[in-house]
Amino acid sequence: MESRRVWLSYTLIRITLFAVPFGVLMASGVFWLWSALIATVFSFCASYIFLRRQRETMAEDLSAIRRGRKAPAVDDDVEDAAVEGAAVERNDSDR
């Protein structure tokens, strides 16, 4: 659960690091393409400097999942089982 929280916070911070400069540049009348490029560079630099811990945690989680040492989120398995159960019930009621 902790890694999921890190993933979510990292993603939200990255989106914010892009959206705020993009919004400011657009509000100041800069062409949208230049605004997007400048906001992208700013977002990359700021996240590289300030979000090292979150980035390393995400990389370790992805690496562990890739090597098979860590199972993907259990929540996904529960949702898959619920969908499959609903499909089986639907097929049974059709008969």
Side-chain angles (χ1 to χ4, degrees):
M1 187 63 156
E2 176 64 31
S3 65
R4 185 172 271 192
R5 193 173 339 163
V6 171
W7 284 49
L8 181 61
S9 67
Y10 180 75
T11 302
L12 291 175
I13 292 170
R14 286 291 307 264
I15 290 170
T16 303
L17 284 173
F18 174 82
V20 170
F22 181 73
V24 169
L25 290 168
M26 288 298 293
S28 64
V30 178
F31 181 60
W32 71 269
L33 184 59
W34 286 112
S35 296
L37 289 173
I38 292 168
T40 300
V41 170
F42 175 81
S43 170
F44 173 76
C45 293
S47 66
Y48 187 76
I49 293 169
F50 298 114
L51 301 177
R52 182 178 60 90
R53 182 178 51 87
Q54 290 93 338
R55 186 176 58 251
E56 288 176 354
T57 301
M58 285 183 61
E60 290 170 4
D61 286 347
L62 289 172
S63 177
I65 290 171
R66 175 87 174 168
R67 288 184 300 227
R69 294 183 183 165
K70 180 179 178 182
V74 176
D75 195 30
D76 295 342
D77 295 335
V78 172
E79 290 172 356
D80 291 345
V83 169
E84 290 172 4
V88 168
E89 288 177 12
R90 236 179 304 147
N91 288 340
D92 290 340
S93 67
D94 290 342
R95 291 180 189 179

